[in-house]
C-alpha cells in the first residue's frame, strides 16, 4: 500500500482530477519518467479508473493521446447521523453528487442497533447499481470520535456511547471495516468547506458548527487538526458570559448556553410559541426564526444579535490562539449568517494588537450539507491515496 | 535545493544523527540504492560533514566500514532578545552546546539599532574560531513575528515595531539574510521542549510561556502551528476572571492581568517589597518568590495558587479546543511548576466529557532556556534539510 508503485499510481490519478493530460504532461507533473508513466497508465486503465480522451495537438511536439479519469467508475458514500435525521450522499470520482436522500428519524429513540439498521437501508437505497464500484464510506456523527479506533465515544444528542459505528455498518453493508471511516460532523464540515465551500485554497480554517450543541473543526497547514485523542474542536464550553445561565457542565455562561439552538430559540420567542415545536425539526425552526428576523420581529432580531455577540466573544479567543485565515459559520449559524457576521467582526476588531481583525468571517455557502460534502470527499479520497483498492478489470486505454 | 540528490544527501545526514551506520544500513534506512549511497557519502565527506568510524562486524555479512556525522564540522547559533537581557548559544551538529553566554541589558532603552549592535558583539564572542563552519542563526524575540518576512511586527516589552531583525543581524555578522531566522520565543520554546524537554516524542503539544506577558507555542502533528500570519499562540487575552482587573486591551480579567509576572508579584507582596525591585531582574524576582513559597509565606503561596487557578481556567479552554497530549509550563511558570500543576489539573478535571483530564501537565524541564534550545535546533536544522549549504572541502572517508 505504501510501495513506490502505489504512490506513483496515486500521483497520476490525483493529477488527472484537474482534467485530461497526456503521458508527457503526467510525467512532468508527477516527476515520473515517461516510460514508467506508460506502464502505470496501463495499470490504471486495467483497473477501469482512466481512459483515452482525444488527442492533444499544437505546441512543437507530435500530437499526443490524452488520458482522463473515469469519474463514473467508482463512488464514495457519505452518511450522516443527526439527532432527528439520517442522510446519505453518493459521489463519483469527480466529486459529483450522483444520488442523495435524507429521512427524518427519532434517533435517540431508535437506539444504536435499530438506528444503524435504518441508516443501512437508506444507504442501500442510494447506492448505484450501474457497475460503479464502492471506494469507501464515511459516516458523520455529532460527537466525540476516537478516530484511531473508529469508535464514537460519546454523542450527547443521540445518547450513544462507545458505539462501534464502523463495525456495525460494515456488517450491514458487507464491506470490510477498514473501508468505513467515522468522523465528527464539525471536522467533516471543515473538510467540506475546504473542498467546496468558503475554505477552498485556505490553509488555516476554523469551522464553527451550530446545532443543538456547538462544535468546531480546525484545519491547519491544510490538514484537520484532531489533537492527541481526536477530540480537538470542543468549543461549547468556552466562557462567554460569567453572569449567564448555568451550563450542565457546572460552570456559567458557556458558549453552548448562549449559542446552542434551544437557547437561541428560547431567547427569540416565549414558551409555547410555534418556534419551540419539535415537529418542525431543526431546519424548520431555524427557517421560521430567519423569517421572523427578516420580517422585523424585535425579539427574534435581538436574540440573533446576542447570538452574534456570544459567538464573537468565543471566536476572539479562538482567533487569538489559532490565527486562522477564515472563520466559517456552519450548521444553523449559516442560515443566520447575514446577521451574525457583523457583531462577530466587531468583537474581533476590538482585540488587542489588531491581529484578529484581519481574519475573514463568512457564513458557510454549503450550510448544513457541509459535513456530508466533507464525508463524501474523504470516502473517495481513499482511492486517490491507493488506486489498487479497485481491483483489475478488463479494459484498456 | 529541492533536487532529489539534495533530498538524498539530507536523508543520509539525518539518519547519521542517531549514530554511526554502514553504507548498507544507510541504504536500507533511507530507501536509496547502495550504489547511490556510496557516491552520496563521498560527497558528504568532501563537504566535511561525515567521516569513517570503525568497522561493523558480526551478523552474517562481511565486515563493513561505518560512517559517522562530524558533529564539530559546523555549528548553529541561537540568539535571544528579552526585555532585560541578551543571550547566545552555539551548538554543534549533534546538538551539543559548545558555547553560551548571556548579558544583562536594558533593551527598550538601547533601542533597535544599538540593541542589535550589542547582540552582534555577544554573538561574535561566542562563535567558534576552530574551523567549525556556520550553518544558520535563529533569533528568539518576545513578540509577533511575520515569519514569511522575518520581521518582528511588535514586541511590547521591547517597544520595537516592524523591526527587520534578520537583515540587521545579517549585516552585522556578514552572513546572507536567508541564513538568519527570527521566531517568537514561545514557538521556539515549544520546539525546544519537543527536541529536548517534556515534549520529546509528542505530536500534540501546548507550551505556555510566562514572562512579563504570557505567550504560547503550539505543536500539532509534529509541526509548529503558526496560523495564517504567524501570530498563533496569543493567549494573553483569554478571559479568566470577569470581575478581575482591567486589562490594557479594554476588557477585564484577561489571563495576562492574572498571570503576567508583574500581576503575580503584586499579589505576592505589598508595594515597596524587595520582590518588586527591578534590579533583581526577572529571574531574581522569581527565585525570591519561589523561596518565599518554600518558606511558607502565606501571601506568596496564595498568589501562586491563584496563578495556578487562572492558568487552569485559560488552559481548560485551550485543551478543549486543541486536545494536546501535554501542556508544558515554560518561562517563569516552570520555576513555580511544583505549585501550579495541581490547581491546573483540578480545573482540567472539572471539564465536561472528561476529555481534558487526560491531558498531561508538566513544568518545563528546560525552564527559561527552552526558547534558546529550540532556536539552536532550528539553526542547525537548515543543514539537515540541505547539506549543500556547507561547501566542498578536501577530506575523504
Amino acid at each position: 500500500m505504501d510501495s513506490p508503485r502505489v504512490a506513483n499510481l496515486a500521483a497520476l490519478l490525483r493529477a488527472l482530477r484537474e482534467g485530461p493530460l497526456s503521458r508527457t504532461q503526467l510525467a512532468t507533473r508527477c516527476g515520473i519518467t515517461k516510460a514508467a508513466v506508460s506502464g502505470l497508465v496501463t495499470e490504471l486503465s486495467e483497473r477501469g479508473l482512466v481512459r483515452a480522451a482525444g488527442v492533444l495537438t499544437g505546441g512543437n511536439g507530435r500530437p499526443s493521446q490524452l488520458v482522463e479519469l473515469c469519474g463514473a467508475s467508482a463512488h464514495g458514500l457519505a452518511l450522516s447521523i443527526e439527532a432527528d435525521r439520517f442522510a446519505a450522499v453518493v459521489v463519483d470520482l469527480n466529486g459529483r453528487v450522483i444520488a442523495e436522500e435524507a429521512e427524518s428519524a427519532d434517533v435517540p429513540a431508535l437506539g444504536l442497533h435499530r438506528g444503524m439498521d435504518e441508516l443501512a437501508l437508506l444507504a442501500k437505497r442510494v447506492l448505484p447499481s450501474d457497475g460503479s464500484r464502492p471506494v469507501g464510506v464515511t459516516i458523520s456523527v455529532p460527537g466525540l470520535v476516537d478516530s484511531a479506533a473508529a469508535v464514537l465515544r460519546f454523542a450527547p444528542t443521540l445518547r450513544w456511547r462507545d458505539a462501534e459505528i464502523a463495525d456495525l455498518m460494515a456488517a450491514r453493508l458487507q464491506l470490510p471495516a477498514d473501508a468505513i471511516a467515522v468522523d465528527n460532523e464539525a471536522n467533516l464540515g471543515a473538510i467540506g468547506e475546504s473542498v467546496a465551500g468558503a475554505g477552498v485554497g485556505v490553509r488555516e480554517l476554523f469551522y464553527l458548527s451550530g446545532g443543538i450543541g456547538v462544535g468546531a473543526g480546525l484545519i491547519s497547514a491544510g490538514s484537520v487538526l484532531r489533537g492527541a485523542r481526536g477530540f480537538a474542536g470542543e468549543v461549547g464550553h468556552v466562557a462567554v458570559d460569567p453572569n449567564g445561565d448555568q451550563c450542565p457542565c457546572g460552570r456559567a455562561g458557556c458558549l453552548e448556553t448562549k449559542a446552542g439552538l434551544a437557547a437561541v430559540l428560547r431567547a427569540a420567542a416565549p414558551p409555547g410559541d410555534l418556534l419551540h415545536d419539535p415537529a418542525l425539526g431543526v431546519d424548520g425552526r431555524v427557517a421560521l426564526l430567519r423569517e421572523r428576523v427578516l420580517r422585523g420581529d424585535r425579539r427574534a432580531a435581538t436574540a440573533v444579535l446576542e447570538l452574534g455577540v456570544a459567538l464573537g466573544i468565543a471566536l476572539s479567543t479562538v482567533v487569538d490562539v489559532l490565527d486562522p485565515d477564515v472563520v466559517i459559520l456552519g450548521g444553523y449559524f449559516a442560515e443566520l449568517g447575514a446577521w451574525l457576521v457583523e457583531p462577530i467582526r466587531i468583537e474581533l476588531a476590538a482585540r488587542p494588537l489588531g491581529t484578529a481583525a484581519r481574519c475573514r468571517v463568512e457564513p458557510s455557502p454549503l450550510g448544513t450539507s457541509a459535513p456530508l460534502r466533507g464525508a463524501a470527499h474523504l470516502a473517495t479520497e481513499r482511492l486517490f491515496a491507493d488506486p489498487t483498492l479497485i481491483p483489475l478489470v478488463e479494459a484498456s486505454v
Side-chain angles (χ1 to χ4, degrees), chain A residues 92-187:
Chain A
D92 70 12
L93 296 184
N94 293 313
R96 268 192 292 263
V97 172
I98 53 180
E100 59 185 319
E101 202 174 317
E103 66 178 36
S104 297
D106 182 347
V107 178
L110 282 172
L112 175 60
H113 291 273
R114 281 173 55 214
M116 295 304 284
D117 287 343
E118 276 298 310
L119 185 59
L121 288 175
L122 177 64
K124 285 174 186 165
R125 282 204 303 276
V126 296
L127 281 173
S129 52
D130 62 355
S132 164
R133 289 154 304 162
V135 167
V137 181
T138 301
I139 307 176
S140 168
V141 290
L144 294 175
V145 175
D146 178 337
S147 33
V151 169
L152 170 61
R153 285 290 167 219
F154 183 42
T157 59
L158 308 183
R159 301 203 292 267
W160 293 2
R161 264 188 197 276
D162 296 321
E164 295 179 339
I165 304 273
D167 288 347
L168 295 172
M169 186 52 67
R172 284 161 175 80
L173 296 183
Q174 273 128 33
L175 286 172
D178 68 357
I180 302 189
V182 181
D183 210 336
N184 171 271
E185 64 91 18
N187 285 344

Side-chain angles (χ1 to χ4, degrees), chain A residues 304-321:
Chain A
V304 172
L305 175 64
E306 282 171 0
L307 169 62
V309 173
L311 294 177
I313 293 171
L315 284 169
S316 54
T317 295
V318 163
V319 170
D320 271 1
V321 174

Side-chain angles (χ1 to χ4, degrees), chain A residues 13-323:
Chain A
L13 206 60
R14 285 195 302 267
L16 291 171
R17 264 178 162 172
E18 315 296 320
L21 292 169
S22 71
R23 286 169 177 73
T24 309
Q25 290 171 323
L26 279 168
T28 313
R29 203 70 69 92
C30 303
I32 304 175
T33 67
K34 209 187 149 190
V37 165
S38 288
L40 294 164
V41 166
T42 302
E43 175 169 347
L44 290 173
S45 164
E46 285 167 359
R47 293 183 189 277
L49 297 172
V50 305
R51 64 183 164 222
V55 168
L56 178 73
T57 51
N60 39 21
R62 293 173 301 165
S64 50
Q65 176 71 59
L66 289 171
V67 182
E68 73 176 1
L69 191 63
C70 296
S73 61
H75 62 267
L77 171 63
L79 299 173
S80 92
I81 306 173
E82 297 163 51
D84 64 350
R85 67 174 201 158
F86 296 115
V89 163
V90 180
V91 294
D92 70 12
L93 296 184
N94 293 313
R96 268 192 292 263
V97 172
I98 53 180
E100 59 185 319
E101 202 174 317
E103 66 178 36
S104 297
D106 182 347
V107 178
L110 282 172
L112 175 60
H113 291 273
R114 281 173 55 214
M116 295 304 284
D117 287 343
E118 276 298 310
L119 185 59
L121 288 175
L122 177 64
K124 285 174 186 165
R125 282 204 303 276
V126 296
L127 281 173
S129 52
D130 62 355
S132 164
R133 289 154 304 162
V135 167
V137 181
T138 301
I139 307 176
S140 168
V141 290
L144 294 175
V145 175
D146 178 337
S147 33
V151 169
L152 170 61
R153 285 290 167 219
F154 183 42
T157 59
L158 308 183
R159 301 203 292 267
W160 293 2
R161 264 188 197 276
D162 296 321
E164 295 179 339
I165 304 273
D167 288 347
L168 295 172
M169 186 52 67
R172 284 161 175 80
L173 296 183
Q174 273 128 33
L175 286 172
D178 68 357
I180 302 189
V182 181
D183 210 336
N184 171 271
E185 64 91 18
N187 285 344
L188 292 171
I191 293 168
E193 295 295 336
S194 79
V195 169
V200 174
V202 167
R203 285 173 60 80
E204 307 283 329
L205 176 163
F206 189 84
Y207 173 82
L208 190 68
S209 170
I212 296 170
V214 180
L218 292 67
I219 290 184
S220 178
S223 299
V224 175
L225 189 159
R226 296 182 180 278
R229 285 150 292 259
F231 298 162
E234 288 301 314
V235 291
H237 302 278
V238 173
V240 295
D241 178 7
N243 305 312
D245 293 344
Q246 193 66 22
C247 180
C249 85
R251 296 211 181 131
C254 293
L255 179 60
E256 236 163 57
T257 68
K258 293 273 169 184
L261 181 60
V264 173
L265 295 177
R266 268 197 309 274
D273 187 280
L274 182 61
L275 209 51
H276 304 300
D277 184 357
L280 288 179
V282 169
D283 292 353
R285 281 176 282 175
V286 173
L288 181 57
L289 174 59
R290 189 185 146 81
E291 197 189 298
R292 289 192 185 173
V293 177
L294 274 173
R295 262 201 348 246
D297 177 319
R298 178 88 65 97
R299 181 164 172 169
T302 305
V304 172
L305 175 64
E306 282 171 0
L307 169 62
V309 173
L311 294 177
I313 293 171
L315 284 169
S316 54
T317 295
V318 163
V319 170
D320 271 1
V321 174
L322 295 173
D323 184 25

